Amino acid sequence: MTRVRFAPSPTGDLHVGGARTALFNWLYARKTSGTFILRVEDTDGARNTAQASEGIVKGLRWLGLDWDEGPDAGGDCGPYYQSQRKDIYDAYLAKLEAAGRVYTEEGGAVRFKFSRTAITVHDLVCGDVTFAPTEEPDMTIRRPDGSYIFHFVNVVDDIEMKMTHVFRGEDHLSNTWKHIDLFHAFGATAPLYAHIPLILNPDGSKMSKRDAGSAIEHSYMNEGFLPDAVFNYLCTLGWTPRAEKEVLSRDELVPLFDPAEIHSGNAKFDLHKCQWFNAQYLRALSPEALFAAARPFIEAKGYTITDEAAATAAVFSVKEKVSLLNEIPAWVHYFFREDYPFEADVTEKLKSKPENTALLRAAAASFATLSEWTEASVQSGVDEAAKANSVKPGALMPLLRAALSGQSRGPGVTTIAHLVGKDSTLRRIERTLSELSA
Ligand code: GLU
């Protein structure tokens, strides 16, 4: 049975690199019907705040990376916070003492005696990597204050939690021989390692927590990405799913995942590509699902939604215009209020021709006579007004769009008129006319 884990050191929010590491472990667990464990490596008491691990949990949940064992989930190998596992580490230290593999220095630090043999990592991504016998001083595993260092607790927990595979960032490869040396000292078999490529910025520098697009909560959750789209995009950072298409659901990605296909070269981060994925996912949503996703972003701008069906249709009518949910309010705000501002060039255009006032008046008069209010009847109202004034219906459309929305771009004019309703359409034209005469 496969057992894999994501083992974050919680010093902040979940970042792209960590999310991708968690994702690859999760994919492998799900593909092999194994177990995915969340272990919080919070041994650095000063930096590992409770808040920081909450941020990680929040990010993982948002991405849909559910864990079978770990905080909130429980499991037989807990506790899943390293800060609560001191007794286990003490017991493992005693094993090394019994095996004659440690000694205590004068200051009180405990050191592990390296085997000083050549050690080979059989890495699933990087291939066999052999480290020559080390000339480094023996490794401190317990500090004088009794706290344990990362390499020791990481290995003890991988033994105790019965890990079979470890997918982690390539930055850990250079220390993996230390881990394998410890596994051997405990008489344990090391898990199979897969060191996954680093994520680089578009300019080739190593991506850090401060870079654009780095923080899951700030760059994705708050900006209006859909979790499925980010999930799909993150899969492509160091892996190319073998499929005819790029947009792949979780259910399609899980069986495709193969550690042997993980790239050994570094991955380039591309926020535009992630936005492209998001646009594809947004467009594939049902009107109801799109509205549910967009609603918090609309309400956060202070717009009140009273008619859900009309709001759903309004949001759906602009789906081709946006790639992020947070772009939606600017495209639909006028559906939710009648005191929308007029874009500067819109007012200018309306005022540029004196006959515009007459045309808008004619449209309003024609609309007022309509007994039913559908997109088709609105169109016939426009046609009639155009005819009566000897212009093409196409000449009226930009004027009506400007009057009904204050904007020069948006969904079809008949769609807007239909959705806001007859009364509001007439009020909007009236308001525009008074703006023009002001
Ligand atoms: N706590 C380590 C990190 O965040 C985990 C390393 C590992 O996965 O073994 O980098």
Side-chain angles (χ1 to χ4, degrees), residues 25 45 49 58 224 281 360 373 397 432:
N25 280 288
T49 62
K58 190 171 170 187
Y281 277 83
L360 280 175
W373 194 254
M397 288 309 191
T432 308

PDB file of all heavy atoms in Angstrom, residues 25 45 49 58 224 281 360 373 397 432:
ATOM      1  N   ASN A  25       2.163  14.349  -4.586  1.00  0.00           N
ATOM      2  CA  ASN A  25       1.960  13.272  -3.601  1.00  0.00           C
ATOM      3  C   ASN A  25       0.513  12.789  -3.630  1.00  0.00           C
ATOM      4  O   ASN A  25       0.236  11.594  -3.608  1.00  0.00           O
ATOM      5  CB  ASN A  25       2.323  13.763  -2.193  1.00  0.00           C
ATOM      6  CG  ASN A  25       3.820  13.750  -1.935  1.00  0.00           C
ATOM      7  OD1 ASN A  25       4.421  12.688  -1.787  1.00  0.00           O
ATOM      8  ND2 ASN A  25       4.438  14.926  -1.891  1.00  0.00           N
ATOM      9  N   GLY A  45       9.700  26.294  16.754  1.00  0.00           N
ATOM     10  CA  GLY A  45       8.641  26.935  17.526  1.00  0.00           C
ATOM     11  C   GLY A  45       8.458  28.418  17.276  1.00  0.00           C
ATOM     12  O   GLY A  45       7.342  28.913  17.206  1.00  0.00           O
ATOM     13  N   THR A  49       4.057  29.351  13.514  1.00  0.00           N
ATOM     14  CA  THR A  49       2.869  29.780  14.231  1.00  0.00           C
ATOM     15  C   THR A  49       1.676  28.909  13.843  1.00  0.00           C
ATOM     16  O   THR A  49       1.651  28.309  12.778  1.00  0.00           O
ATOM     17  CB  THR A  49       2.535  31.233  13.867  1.00  0.00           C
ATOM     18  OG1 THR A  49       2.266  31.278  12.463  1.00  0.00           O
ATOM     19  CG2 THR A  49       3.683  32.159  14.193  1.00  0.00           C
ATOM     20  N   LYS A  58      -5.855  25.682   4.758  1.00  0.00           N
ATOM     21  CA  LYS A  58      -6.859  26.396   3.961  1.00  0.00           C
ATOM     22  C   LYS A  58      -6.554  26.276   2.460  1.00  0.00           C
ATOM     23  O   LYS A  58      -7.444  26.001   1.652  1.00  0.00           O
ATOM     24  CB  LYS A  58      -6.825  27.863   4.390  1.00  0.00           C
ATOM     25  CG  LYS A  58      -7.933  28.722   3.865  1.00  0.00           C
ATOM     26  CD  LYS A  58      -7.856  30.076   4.578  1.00  0.00           C
ATOM     27  CE  LYS A  58      -8.783  31.087   3.947  1.00  0.00           C
ATOM     28  NZ  LYS A  58      -8.589  32.426   4.531  1.00  0.00           N
ATOM     29  N   GLY A 224      -9.800  35.312  -7.842  1.00  0.00           N
ATOM     30  CA  GLY A 224     -10.875  34.772  -8.662  1.00  0.00           C
ATOM     31  C   GLY A 224     -10.479  33.650  -9.593  1.00  0.00           C
ATOM     32  O   GLY A 224     -11.045  33.508 -10.681  1.00  0.00           O
ATOM     33  N   TYR A 281     -11.910  27.024 -17.828  1.00  0.00           N
ATOM     34  CA  TYR A 281     -12.778  26.432 -16.795  1.00  0.00           C
ATOM     35  C   TYR A 281     -14.001  27.305 -16.536  1.00  0.00           C
ATOM     36  O   TYR A 281     -15.096  26.791 -16.343  1.00  0.00           O
ATOM     37  CB  TYR A 281     -11.992  26.190 -15.500  1.00  0.00           C
ATOM     38  CG  TYR A 281     -11.220  24.893 -15.522  1.00  0.00           C
ATOM     39  CD1 TYR A 281      -9.973  24.815 -16.130  1.00  0.00           C
ATOM     40  CD2 TYR A 281     -11.751  23.728 -14.970  1.00  0.00           C
ATOM     41  CE1 TYR A 281      -9.274  23.630 -16.176  1.00  0.00           C
ATOM     42  CE2 TYR A 281     -11.053  22.534 -15.013  1.00  0.00           C
ATOM     43  CZ  TYR A 281      -9.813  22.493 -15.611  1.00  0.00           C
ATOM     44  OH  TYR A 281      -9.133  21.306 -15.673  1.00  0.00           O
ATOM     45  N   LEU A 360     -32.427  58.217 -29.265  1.00  0.00           N
ATOM     46  CA  LEU A 360     -32.698  57.556 -27.982  1.00  0.00           C
ATOM     47  C   LEU A 360     -34.160  57.757 -27.577  1.00  0.00           C
ATOM     48  O   LEU A 360     -34.810  56.834 -27.079  1.00  0.00           O
ATOM     49  CB  LEU A 360     -31.762  58.097 -26.883  1.00  0.00           C
ATOM     50  CG  LEU A 360     -30.343  57.518 -26.882  1.00  0.00           C
ATOM     51  CD1 LEU A 360     -29.480  58.220 -25.833  1.00  0.00           C
ATOM     52  CD2 LEU A 360     -30.356  56.009 -26.641  1.00  0.00           C
ATOM     53  N   TRP A 373     -41.787  41.547 -23.346  1.00  0.00           N
ATOM     54  CA  TRP A 373     -40.401  42.021 -23.211  1.00  0.00           C
ATOM     55  C   TRP A 373     -39.437  40.833 -23.301  1.00  0.00           C
ATOM     56  O   TRP A 373     -39.109  40.206 -22.308  1.00  0.00           O
ATOM     57  CB  TRP A 373     -40.238  42.751 -21.868  1.00  0.00           C
ATOM     58  CG  TRP A 373     -38.966  43.561 -21.778  1.00  0.00           C
ATOM     59  CD1 TRP A 373     -37.849  43.254 -21.050  1.00  0.00           C
ATOM     60  CD2 TRP A 373     -38.677  44.796 -22.418  1.00  0.00           C
ATOM     61  NE1 TRP A 373     -36.897  44.207 -21.211  1.00  0.00           N
ATOM     62  CE2 TRP A 373     -37.367  45.180 -22.049  1.00  0.00           C
ATOM     63  CE3 TRP A 373     -39.409  45.620 -23.294  1.00  0.00           C
ATOM     64  CZ2 TRP A 373     -36.766  46.342 -22.497  1.00  0.00           C
ATOM     65  CZ3 TRP A 373     -38.801  46.783 -23.756  1.00  0.00           C
ATOM     66  CH2 TRP A 373     -37.502  47.132 -23.356  1.00  0.00           C
ATOM     67  N   MET A 397     -27.645  50.725 -31.873  1.00  0.00           N
ATOM     68  CA  MET A 397     -27.121  49.816 -30.847  1.00  0.00           C
ATOM     69  C   MET A 397     -26.071  50.430 -29.909  1.00  0.00           C
ATOM     70  O   MET A 397     -26.204  50.325 -28.696  1.00  0.00           O
ATOM     71  CB  MET A 397     -26.572  48.535 -31.492  1.00  0.00           C
ATOM     72  CG  MET A 397     -27.658  47.615 -32.028  1.00  0.00           C
ATOM     73  SD  MET A 397     -28.933  47.277 -30.780  1.00  0.00           S
ATOM     74  CE  MET A 397     -29.830  45.957 -31.580  1.00  0.00           C
ATOM     75  N   THR A 432     -30.137  58.929 -19.141  1.00  0.00           N
ATOM     76  CA  THR A 432     -29.100  59.285 -20.111  1.00  0.00           C
ATOM     77  C   THR A 432     -29.463  60.598 -20.818  1.00  0.00           C
ATOM     78  O   THR A 432     -28.605  61.463 -21.017  1.00  0.00           O
ATOM     79  CB  THR A 432     -28.918  58.149 -21.145  1.00  0.00           C
ATOM     80  OG1 THR A 432     -28.715  56.932 -20.436  1.00  0.00           O
ATOM     81  CG2 THR A 432     -27.717  58.414 -22.043  1.00  0.00           C
TER      82      THR A 432
END
